[in-house]
Amino acid sequence: MHREAIRYLNNAKELLSKSPIEGKVYTDVKYVKSACGVAYLAVLEAVNEVLLQKGYTKKELPKKVEEYEKALKKHISSNNGKLLKEFTMLYDALHIAGYYRGLIYNVDAVKDYLKAAREFIEKIK
């Protein structure tokens, strides 16, 4: 299993636990943004692990999201376009909306995205 990716995901949950909650909203966006960023890194780490197993060297690993999408399409989801769509959704939600823009702070939404990241990681074993 993707130990390092799961470790990142657990770190994301730990960061999230530092934010107070009022109603259904995390009130300290800093921790939510950090948690979303680390959760996205967990997804990338899982993809990296698979690519390394497929013969990539550390130097050859993707550096941009477009390169990750190409590698996923070629090596991981060639018969399953759903994985590529899930990766793109996680990129948009966790990296762009959650981390970069700080637009996701609803407790249920954040937890759903972390769960989706875990499910993606488990699918690409």
Side-chain angles (χ1 to χ4, degrees):
M1 180 129 144
H2 303 287
R3 261 184 245 170
E4 195 66 11
I6 296 300
R7 188 171 79 87
Y8 277 58
L9 212 47
N10 290 335
N11 288 346
K13 289 179 182 178
E14 187 178 317
L15 283 165
L16 208 50
S17 72
K18 295 179 180 183
S19 176
I21 298 172
E22 284 181 16
K24 291 190 173 212
V25 175
Y26 287 107
T27 58
D28 193 331
V29 177
K30 176 184 96 170
Y31 291 114
V32 180
K33 287 176 74 170
S34 295
C36 287
V38 173
Y40 178 65
L41 290 175
V43 169
L44 296 182
E45 187 62 32
V47 174
N48 287 344
E49 288 178 33
V50 172
L51 294 176
L52 288 169
Q53 290 170 2
K54 299 228 180 238
Y56 275 60
T57 64
K58 286 197 180 228
K59 268 189 156 181
E60 295 171 322
L61 290 174
K63 305 210 179 1
K64 299 177 182 178
V65 71
E66 296 83 8
E67 293 172 10
Y68 273 100
E69 289 171 337
K70 285 179 187 173
L72 272 166
K73 199 173 200 177
K74 183 175 180 181
H75 298 290
I76 300 171
S77 69
S78 57
N79 296 323
N80 185 354
K82 290 180 185 177
L83 280 175
L84 183 56
K85 288 177 185 171
E86 286 180 42
F87 175 82
T88 302
M89 179 272 300
L90 291 167
Y91 168 77
D92 289 342
L94 291 172
H95 184 66
I96 300 299
Y99 171 71
Y100 187 67
R101 297 206 173 119
L103 298 174
I104 301 173
Y105 42 84
N106 174 280
V107 172
D108 294 335
V110 173
K111 288 181 178 180
D112 283 348
Y113 284 122
L114 292 183
K115 181 180 174 189
R118 179 177 289 276
E119 290 169 354
F120 177 84
I121 291 166
E122 290 171 358
K123 283 180 190 174
I124 66 164
K125 292 181 184 179

Short mmCIF file of all heavy atoms in Angstrom, two decimals, residues 13-51:
data_model
loop_
_atom_site.label_atom_id
_atom_site.label_comp_id
_atom_site.label_asym_id
_atom_site.label_seq_id
_atom_site.Cartn_x
_atom_site.Cartn_y
_atom_site.Cartn_z
N LYS A 13 -5.20 15.36 8.04
CA LYS A 13 -6.27 15.28 9.04
C LYS A 13 -5.83 15.91 10.36
O LYS A 13 -6.61 16.57 11.03
CB LYS A 13 -6.67 13.83 9.27
CG LYS A 13 -7.42 13.24 8.10
CD LYS A 13 -7.78 11.80 8.34
CE LYS A 13 -8.49 11.20 7.15
NZ LYS A 13 -8.81 9.79 7.34
N GLU A 14 -4.57 15.72 10.70
CA GLU A 14 -4.04 16.32 11.93
C GLU A 14 -4.06 17.85 11.84
O GLU A 14 -4.45 18.53 12.80
CB GLU A 14 -2.61 15.82 12.16
CG GLU A 14 -2.02 16.24 13.48
CD GLU A 14 -0.62 15.68 13.66
OE1 GLU A 14 -0.40 14.50 13.34
OE2 GLU A 14 0.25 16.44 14.12
N LEU A 15 -3.67 18.39 10.70
CA LEU A 15 -3.73 19.84 10.50
C LEU A 15 -5.17 20.35 10.63
O LEU A 15 -5.42 21.37 11.26
CB LEU A 15 -3.19 20.21 9.12
CG LEU A 15 -1.69 20.19 8.95
CD1 LEU A 15 -1.32 20.22 7.48
CD2 LEU A 15 -1.06 21.37 9.68
N LEU A 16 -6.09 19.63 10.04
CA LEU A 16 -7.50 20.00 10.06
C LEU A 16 -8.04 20.04 11.48
O LEU A 16 -8.85 20.90 11.82
CB LEU A 16 -8.28 18.99 9.22
CG LEU A 16 -9.55 19.43 8.56
CD1 LEU A 16 -9.37 20.71 7.78
CD2 LEU A 16 -10.05 18.31 7.65
N SER A 17 -7.56 19.13 12.30
CA SER A 17 -8.06 19.05 13.68
C SER A 17 -7.68 20.28 14.50
O SER A 17 -8.24 20.52 15.57
CB SER A 17 -7.54 17.79 14.36
OG SER A 17 -6.16 17.90 14.65
N LYS A 18 -6.72 21.08 14.01
CA LYS A 18 -6.29 22.28 14.73
C LYS A 18 -7.23 23.46 14.53
O LYS A 18 -7.14 24.45 15.25
CB LYS A 18 -4.88 22.66 14.31
CG LYS A 18 -3.84 21.63 14.73
CD LYS A 18 -2.46 22.03 14.29
CE LYS A 18 -1.46 20.97 14.72
NZ LYS A 18 -0.09 21.35 14.38
N SER A 19 -8.11 23.36 13.54
CA SER A 19 -9.03 24.47 13.28
C SER A 19 -10.30 24.32 14.10
O SER A 19 -10.94 23.26 14.08
CB SER A 19 -9.41 24.52 11.80
OG SER A 19 -10.38 25.54 11.61
N PRO A 20 -10.70 25.37 14.80
CA PRO A 20 -11.99 25.33 15.49
C PRO A 20 -13.13 25.23 14.49
O PRO A 20 -12.97 25.61 13.32
CB PRO A 20 -12.05 26.67 16.24
CG PRO A 20 -10.67 27.23 16.19
CD PRO A 20 -9.98 26.62 15.02
N ILE A 21 -14.25 24.71 14.94
CA ILE A 21 -15.44 24.57 14.10
C ILE A 21 -16.58 25.34 14.74
O ILE A 21 -16.81 25.23 15.94
CB ILE A 21 -15.84 23.09 13.96
CG1 ILE A 21 -14.73 22.30 13.28
CG2 ILE A 21 -17.15 22.94 13.19
CD1 ILE A 21 -14.95 20.79 13.28
N GLU A 22 -17.27 26.13 13.94
CA GLU A 22 -18.50 26.80 14.38
C GLU A 22 -19.60 26.34 13.44
O GLU A 22 -19.54 26.62 12.23
CB GLU A 22 -18.35 28.31 14.33
CG GLU A 22 -17.52 28.88 15.45
CD GLU A 22 -17.41 30.40 15.38
OE1 GLU A 22 -18.20 31.05 14.66
OE2 GLU A 22 -16.51 30.94 16.04
N GLY A 23 -20.58 25.65 13.99
CA GLY A 23 -21.63 25.10 13.15
C GLY A 23 -21.04 24.04 12.24
O GLY A 23 -20.51 23.05 12.70
N LYS A 24 -21.09 24.29 10.94
CA LYS A 24 -20.53 23.34 9.97
C LYS A 24 -19.37 23.95 9.20
O LYS A 24 -19.08 23.56 8.08
CB LYS A 24 -21.62 22.91 8.99
CG LYS A 24 -22.68 22.05 9.62
CD LYS A 24 -23.58 21.46 8.57
CE LYS A 24 -24.51 20.47 9.24
NZ LYS A 24 -24.85 19.37 8.38
N VAL A 25 -18.68 24.92 9.84
CA VAL A 25 -17.62 25.65 9.14
C VAL A 25 -16.35 25.65 9.98
O VAL A 25 -16.38 25.93 11.18
CB VAL A 25 -18.08 27.11 8.88
CG1 VAL A 25 -16.97 27.93 8.28
CG2 VAL A 25 -19.31 27.13 7.98
N TYR A 26 -15.22 25.35 9.31
CA TYR A 26 -13.92 25.53 9.95
C TYR A 26 -13.65 27.02 10.01
O TYR A 26 -13.81 27.73 9.01
CB TYR A 26 -12.81 24.84 9.13
CG TYR A 26 -12.84 23.34 9.22
CD1 TYR A 26 -13.27 22.57 8.15
CD2 TYR A 26 -12.42 22.69 10.38
CE1 TYR A 26 -13.27 21.18 8.22
CE2 TYR A 26 -12.42 21.31 10.46
CZ TYR A 26 -12.85 20.56 9.38
OH TYR A 26 -12.85 19.20 9.46
N THR A 27 -13.24 27.52 11.17
CA THR A 27 -13.08 28.96 11.33
C THR A 27 -11.65 29.45 11.09
O THR A 27 -11.44 30.64 10.91
CB THR A 27 -13.54 29.42 12.73
OG1 THR A 27 -12.79 28.72 13.71
CG2 THR A 27 -15.02 29.17 12.91
N ASP A 28 -10.68 28.55 11.10
CA ASP A 28 -9.30 28.97 10.83
C ASP A 28 -8.89 28.43 9.46
O ASP A 28 -8.43 27.29 9.33
CB ASP A 28 -8.36 28.47 11.92
CG ASP A 28 -6.99 29.14 11.85
OD1 ASP A 28 -6.58 29.54 10.73
OD2 ASP A 28 -6.34 29.25 12.90
N VAL A 29 -9.05 29.25 8.46
CA VAL A 29 -8.83 28.84 7.07
C VAL A 29 -7.38 28.41 6.84
O VAL A 29 -7.10 27.58 5.99
CB VAL A 29 -9.26 29.95 6.10
CG1 VAL A 29 -8.97 29.58 4.66
CG2 VAL A 29 -10.74 30.26 6.27
N LYS A 30 -6.46 28.96 7.61
CA LYS A 30 -5.04 28.59 7.44
C LYS A 30 -4.85 27.09 7.56
O LYS A 30 -4.17 26.47 6.72
CB LYS A 30 -4.18 29.31 8.49
CG LYS A 30 -2.72 28.91 8.45
CD LYS A 30 -1.93 29.56 9.55
CE LYS A 30 -1.84 28.60 10.71
NZ LYS A 30 -0.92 29.00 11.76
N TYR A 31 -5.46 26.47 8.56
CA TYR A 31 -5.31 25.03 8.75
C TYR A 31 -6.03 24.24 7.66
O TYR A 31 -5.56 23.19 7.23
CB TYR A 31 -5.81 24.60 10.13
CG TYR A 31 -4.92 25.09 11.24
CD1 TYR A 31 -5.37 26.02 12.17
CD2 TYR A 31 -3.61 24.64 11.36
CE1 TYR A 31 -4.56 26.47 13.19
CE2 TYR A 31 -2.78 25.09 12.37
CZ TYR A 31 -3.26 26.01 13.28
OH TYR A 31 -2.43 26.45 14.27
N VAL A 32 -7.15 24.75 7.20
CA VAL A 32 -7.89 24.07 6.14
C VAL A 32 -7.10 24.12 4.84
O VAL A 32 -6.96 23.11 4.14
CB VAL A 32 -9.29 24.69 5.96
CG1 VAL A 32 -10.05 23.98 4.85
CG2 VAL A 32 -10.08 24.64 7.25
N LYS A 33 -6.55 25.28 4.53
CA LYS A 33 -5.73 25.41 3.32
C LYS A 33 -4.54 24.46 3.39
O LYS A 33 -4.23 23.76 2.42
CB LYS A 33 -5.25 26.85 3.14
CG LYS A 33 -6.34 27.82 2.71
CD LYS A 33 -5.84 29.24 2.64
CE LYS A 33 -4.97 29.42 1.42
NZ LYS A 33 -4.65 30.84 1.15
N SER A 34 -3.87 24.44 4.52
CA SER A 34 -2.71 23.56 4.69
C SER A 34 -3.11 22.09 4.55
O SER A 34 -2.42 21.31 3.89
CB SER A 34 -2.05 23.78 6.05
OG SER A 34 -1.52 25.07 6.13
N ALA A 35 -4.23 21.72 5.16
CA ALA A 35 -4.70 20.33 5.09
C ALA A 35 -5.03 19.94 3.65
O ALA A 35 -4.68 18.84 3.20
CB ALA A 35 -5.93 20.14 5.99
N CYS A 36 -5.67 20.83 2.92
CA CYS A 36 -5.99 20.55 1.52
C CYS A 36 -4.72 20.38 0.69
O CYS A 36 -4.62 19.48 -0.15
CB CYS A 36 -6.86 21.65 0.93
SG CYS A 36 -8.56 21.65 1.53
N GLY A 37 -3.74 21.24 0.94
CA GLY A 37 -2.47 21.14 0.22
C GLY A 37 -1.76 19.83 0.50
O GLY A 37 -1.27 19.17 -0.43
N VAL A 38 -1.72 19.42 1.75
CA VAL A 38 -1.06 18.17 2.11
C VAL A 38 -1.83 16.97 1.57
O VAL A 38 -1.23 15.99 1.12
CB VAL A 38 -0.84 18.09 3.65
CG1 VAL A 38 -0.32 16.73 4.05
CG2 VAL A 38 0.12 19.19 4.09
N ALA A 39 -3.15 17.04 1.57
CA ALA A 39 -3.96 15.95 1.01
C ALA A 39 -3.69 15.80 -0.49
O ALA A 39 -3.60 14.68 -1.01
CB ALA A 39 -5.45 16.19 1.27
N TYR A 40 -3.55 16.92 -1.19
CA TYR A 40 -3.22 16.85 -2.61
C TYR A 40 -1.83 16.25 -2.81
O TYR A 40 -1.61 15.44 -3.71
CB TYR A 40 -3.33 18.23 -3.26
CG TYR A 40 -2.96 18.20 -4.73
CD1 TYR A 40 -3.73 17.48 -5.64
CD2 TYR A 40 -1.83 18.86 -5.19
CE1 TYR A 40 -3.38 17.43 -6.98
CE2 TYR A 40 -1.48 18.82 -6.54
CZ TYR A 40 -2.26 18.10 -7.42
OH TYR A 40 -1.91 18.05 -8.75
N LEU A 41 -0.89 16.61 -1.95
CA LEU A 41 0.44 16.01 -2.02
C LEU A 41 0.37 14.50 -1.79
O LEU A 41 1.16 13.75 -2.39
CB LEU A 41 1.38 16.66 -0.99
CG LEU A 41 1.79 18.10 -1.27
CD1 LEU A 41 2.61 18.65 -0.12
CD2 LEU A 41 2.55 18.19 -2.58
N ALA A 42 -0.56 14.05 -0.97
CA ALA A 42 -0.75 12.61 -0.76
C ALA A 42 -1.14 11.93 -2.07
O ALA A 42 -0.64 10.84 -2.40
CB ALA A 42 -1.82 12.36 0.31
N VAL A 43 -2.02 12.57 -2.82
CA VAL A 43 -2.45 12.03 -4.12
C VAL A 43 -1.24 11.96 -5.06
O VAL A 43 -1.01 10.93 -5.71
CB VAL A 43 -3.57 12.91 -4.72
CG1 VAL A 43 -3.84 12.55 -6.17
CG2 VAL A 43 -4.84 12.79 -3.88
N LEU A 44 -0.45 13.03 -5.12
CA LEU A 44 0.72 13.04 -5.98
C LEU A 44 1.73 11.97 -5.56
O LEU A 44 2.33 11.31 -6.40
CB LEU A 44 1.40 14.42 -5.97
CG LEU A 44 0.60 15.58 -6.54
CD1 LEU A 44 1.44 16.85 -6.51
CD2 LEU A 44 0.13 15.29 -7.96
N GLU A 45 1.89 11.82 -4.27
CA GLU A 45 2.83 10.82 -3.75
C GLU A 45 2.41 9.42 -4.17
O GLU A 45 3.25 8.60 -4.57
CB GLU A 45 2.91 10.92 -2.22
CG GLU A 45 3.97 10.06 -1.60
CD GLU A 45 5.39 10.40 -2.03
OE1 GLU A 45 5.68 11.58 -2.29
OE2 GLU A 45 6.22 9.47 -2.11
N ALA A 46 1.13 9.13 -4.13
CA ALA A 46 0.63 7.81 -4.55
C ALA A 46 0.90 7.60 -6.04
O ALA A 46 1.33 6.52 -6.44
CB ALA A 46 -0.86 7.70 -4.25
N VAL A 47 0.64 8.62 -6.85
CA VAL A 47 0.91 8.50 -8.29
C VAL A 47 2.41 8.30 -8.52
O VAL A 47 2.82 7.44 -9.31
CB VAL A 47 0.39 9.73 -9.06
CG1 VAL A 47 0.80 9.67 -10.53
CG2 VAL A 47 -1.12 9.86 -8.94
N ASN A 48 3.24 9.06 -7.80
CA ASN A 48 4.69 8.91 -7.93
C ASN A 48 5.13 7.48 -7.61
O ASN A 48 5.96 6.90 -8.32
CB ASN A 48 5.43 9.88 -7.01
CG ASN A 48 5.36 11.31 -7.49
OD1 ASN A 48 5.02 11.58 -8.63
ND2 ASN A 48 5.66 12.24 -6.59
N GLU A 49 4.58 6.91 -6.55
CA GLU A 49 4.95 5.55 -6.16
C GLU A 49 4.63 4.56 -7.28
O GLU A 49 5.45 3.68 -7.58
CB GLU A 49 4.23 5.15 -4.87
CG GLU A 49 4.76 5.86 -3.64
CD GLU A 49 3.99 5.49 -2.37
OE1 GLU A 49 3.53 4.35 -2.25
OE2 GLU A 49 3.87 6.37 -1.50
N VAL A 50 3.47 4.71 -7.89
CA VAL A 50 3.09 3.81 -8.99
C VAL A 50 4.03 4.01 -10.18
O VAL A 50 4.49 3.03 -10.79
CB VAL A 50 1.62 4.02 -9.40
CG1 VAL A 50 1.29 3.24 -10.66
CG2 VAL A 50 0.69 3.61 -8.27
N LEU A 51 4.33 5.25 -10.51
CA LEU A 51 5.21 5.52 -11.64
C LEU A 51 6.62 4.98 -11.40
O LEU A 51 7.25 4.45 -12.32
CB LEU A 51 5.24 7.02 -11.95
CG LEU A 51 3.93 7.61 -12.45
CD1 LEU A 51 4.05 9.12 -12.61
CD2 LEU A 51 3.49 6.96 -13.75
#
